[in-house]
Amino acid sequence: MNPTYPFSAVVGLADLKLALVLNAVSSRVGGVLVRGEKGTAKSTIVRALAAQLPQVAVVAGCRFHCDPGAPDPGCPDGPHEPDAAGAMRAASLVELPVGASEDRLVGSLDLERALTEGVKAFEPGLLAAAHRGVLYVDEVNLLHDHLVDLLLDAAALGVCYVERETVSIRHAARFLLVGTMNPEEGELRPQLLDRFGLTVEVRATREPDERAEVVRRRFAFDADPEGFAAHWAAEEAALAGRIARARAALGSVRLPDSRLRQITAVCAGFEVDGLRADLVTAHAAVAHAAWQGRDVVTREDVRVAARLALPHRRRRDPFDAPGLDERLLDELLDQTEPAAPEDPEHPEGPEDPDDSGGPGSSPGRPEGPGDSGGSGAGTGAGDGAPEGAPEGTPSAPEGSGSATGPDDRTQDVAAVGAPFRVPVLKVAGVGAGVAGRRSSGRGRQGRTIGARVPTGAGPAAIDLPATLLAAAPYQLPRGRRGPGLILKREDLREPIREGREGNLVLFVVDASGSMGARRRMTAVKTAVLSLLLDAYQRRDKVGLVVFRGADATVALPPTSSVEAGAARLRTLPTGGRTPLAEGLATAADVLRVERLRDPDRRPLLVVVTDGRATSGGDVTRAAAALAGVTSVVVDCESGPVRLGMAHALALRLGARVLPLESLGDLVRDRRKAS
């Protein structure tokens, strides 16, 4: 599978193959989420999986790919006869685009035919096409939340429910769900992460020889694709045969009660929420035993399953990086290991060296520090990472650490406290940005407040009452004489829905010497971290501009990854003069570029400063460039004597002022009042 990339060239690629294989062996494992940097063969290996899956028998002519041996009794194309004609076809690979609509995913009714012909014409969606195959979602973290909810519900239930204008349809939808994502572009919500059975993290090797081998193989493929495929055909055929044998043997694999207790003890030891982790780990352990040719689950099967099923479920905070302490895993396994073999007739025996699909790999051993499935001894906070930072927090970026200059002699790195709830900050008016949870916006979700003529090639959804009202005055001129309704395309209306949108929250943080007192900067960082957490929960994009010394820098370009913002914030040094005007000017530049890239996403500017400006240009002119942008100034001035400079800045920006110390108090006061 994926011969273009040798397993040594991408750290975690062998684990990815194993996770995909376990899902191919048992559909109950629940899918795979692949996390990793761009260019690490995530999509390539997923697309290669479908070719290794055994062919499936389908009822001839059934759009929902029913099995002739056990057809779905509720199939919309049924009922199928027990001896219905069947045909063999390859397992399907269906790709769900990020911009897909709900109708494209679950299917839609042709309301025009329903109204004019009186028939319930249903067009199946991608979930029907993926039944008994693979459903692949690239950049699943960028998929709209309501689509992810529908997708994961269908994956968990094995059934797709379609409710459209008094018509209810259900059909089977059992598929291998695979999602890929780049964490830099934003995370999935924890409750959605939990719905993926297994997770794997991949990254490219830094070894020149291994990277060179990838280039050689790619050149060989480009020069002769057919010859390249033929060279690896025997190995791929062997893999497909082994998957088929493991599938056939799955029902005979026994999970001893002692191993089941070991699984539940491991899940409890890692303090994962709910019981889904226990179920997934058990199914994955059984699938791994079948893959290894065993008929009883062993300790190694449990260990491999836990490494893949638990990393994304142990996050206690949205800013925690997924990972697993493999030393703790081994301790928990040792503590619960049965005193004697549970089945003397079936010794565990040596491990198959081909377990994870790569040369020299072992199913129970990580490939090395940073491998998918666990943080291990070599992961966690790296050298130079700030004390108390979450696992995976990078050290301070070059140029922001210990090096000092004329304006940086007093720089320091303050700690960050625990985040707290903050008041809801909104952009005024009604926008048309992507669905979110912050400001008012019009889109495909929300309550219906009116109807309009479709603006595109066709309506995204149909407002039935408005469509009927539009057609009613023309029935006699159109020659209507019977009960049927004469409907034309110009009668169609789509609903106008008002809900919530996500915004671009751009933080402009004063990190100068005037803010440099350790206790004060800790409070500032904690407040900004709390605002970042709020942005995460409301599905916003975030950016971070920092000004100190002689200029301002974009510490974090606008992104959906608030984890990256939190990591940059934790390592943010302070010291030097206060170039307030440069900070505002840089913010204006960022917003101008983002307006071109994403014109529908409205910005919210959050300036965290005491208002002092000890260097740089004209603050009034810089503030004028931000006219019309909804802004909030978090006043960080402290002490018995206050100059009110932050309030003066807020007047220039037309911004709301929030004292730093009152951010948490505002929420507590509102709770008491309610």
Side-chain angles (χ1 to χ4, degrees), residues 172-248:
R174 293 183 295 275
F175 47 82
L176 194 170
L177 175 63
V178 183
T180 59
M181 58 175 284
N182 184 347
E184 294 179 357
E185 297 173 340
E187 282 284 1
L188 283 171
R189 302 196 309 270
Q191 60 269 38
L192 299 184
L193 276 173
D194 183 57
R195 299 294 287 273
F196 281 94
L198 310 179
T199 186
V200 177
E201 187 149 0
V202 296
R203 60 180 176 82
T205 181
R206 300 298 184 259
E207 290 295 328
D209 291 342
E210 294 169 351
R211 297 169 76 98
E213 180 61 23
V214 174
V215 178
R216 292 190 194 99
R217 293 193 185 185
R218 183 66 205 192
F219 277 9
F221 174 81
D222 292 339
D224 183 11
E226 293 183 359
F228 186 86
H231 177 75
W232 295 94
E235 183 174 327
E236 291 189 342
L239 177 62
R242 187 177 174 189
I243 291 175
R245 291 192 297 273
R247 274 187 173 185

Side-chain angles (χ1 to χ4, degrees), residues 303-318:
R303 189 182 192 281
V304 170
R307 287 182 58 244
L308 298 173
L310 299 184
H312 59 304
R313 293 186 167 92
R314 56 151 293 278
R315 299 177 69 187
R316 314 309 301 174
D317 184 277

Side-chain angles (χ1 to χ4, degrees), residues 349-632:
E351 289 297 319
D352 187 334
D354 188 38
D355 169 73
S356 55
S361 62
S362 172
R365 304 281 183 189
E367 292 184 358
D371 277 3
S372 151
S375 54
T379 56
D383 295 339
E387 184 178 356
E391 295 180 8
T393 300
S395 58
E398 184 178 354
S400 63
S402 59
T404 59
D407 295 316
D408 297 331
R409 297 187 182 93
T410 60
Q411 73 174 5
D412 194 4
V413 177
V416 183
F420 51 81
R421 286 189 58 187
V422 296
V424 180
L425 305 177
K426 299 180 180 180
V427 178
V430 180
V434 298
R437 299 177 181 176
R438 184 174 296 278
S439 306
S440 296
R442 291 178 181 170
R444 294 180 178 177
Q445 280 74 52
R447 61 186 180 90
T448 300
I449 61 172
R452 64 186 175 191
V453 176
T455 55
I462 291 182
D463 188 312
L464 184 56
T467 298
L468 295 177
L469 288 173
Y474 304 102
Q475 295 306 297
L476 290 178
R478 292 173 182 173
R480 175 185 171 184
R481 296 296 180 265
L485 182 68
I486 299 177
L487 185 71
K488 293 189 176 181
R489 181 166 294 277
E490 58 264 26
D491 300 326
L492 298 180
R493 298 292 185 271
E494 63 182 9
I496 300 174
R497 295 191 175 108
E498 185 170 309
R500 296 290 176 185
E501 67 172 0
N503 298 114
L504 166 60
V505 183
L506 181 61
F507 296 95
V508 182
V509 180
D510 183 349
S512 65
S514 66
M515 301 277 288
R518 176 174 287 271
R519 178 180 298 180
R520 189 152 149 230
M521 199 60 196
T522 294
V524 170
K525 284 188 173 184
T526 303
V528 176
L529 185 67
S530 303
L531 291 165
L532 273 171
L533 177 59
D534 181 69
Y536 167 85
Q537 295 168 340
R538 299 185 186 280
R539 314 306 291 168
D540 296 315
K541 288 180 71 174
V542 295
L544 179 62
V545 172
V546 177
F547 59 95
R548 58 185 290 270
D551 55 14
T553 59
V554 181
L556 180 71
T559 175
S560 296
S561 176
V562 294
E563 292 81 359
R568 299 290 175 87
L569 182 69
R570 293 179 189 277
T571 59
L572 179 65
T574 61
R577 297 180 179 178
T578 312
L580 177 57
E582 279 67 20
L584 299 177
T586 301
D589 291 339
V590 171
L591 295 180
R592 182 169 57 254
V593 172
E594 283 302 304
R595 193 174 295 116
L596 297 174
R597 291 177 177 172
D598 193 355
D600 291 332
R601 189 183 291 267
R602 297 187 295 163
L604 173 64
L605 184 68
V606 180
V607 184
V608 185
T609 182
D610 57 8
R612 290 182 174 87
T614 61
S615 68
D618 186 352
V619 174
T620 301
R621 178 179 299 177
L626 293 165
V629 177
T630 301
S631 304
V632 176

Side-chain angles (χ1 to χ4, degrees), residues 58 62-66 75-77 89 92 94 103-108 122-135 151 154 159-160 162 169-175:
V58 298
C62 178
R63 297 175 298 166
F64 300 87
H65 309 148
C66 284
C75 177
D77 282 356
R89 67 163 178 82
S92 58
V94 177
D103 288 345
R104 185 73 183 100
L105 177 63
V106 302
S108 62
F122 178 71
E123 184 66 28
L126 295 177
L127 292 180
H131 180 45
R132 305 175 68 201
V134 180
L135 182 61
L151 178 64
V159 178
C160 174
V162 185
I169 291 177
R170 60 158 297 280
H171 64 81
R174 293 183 295 275
F175 47 82

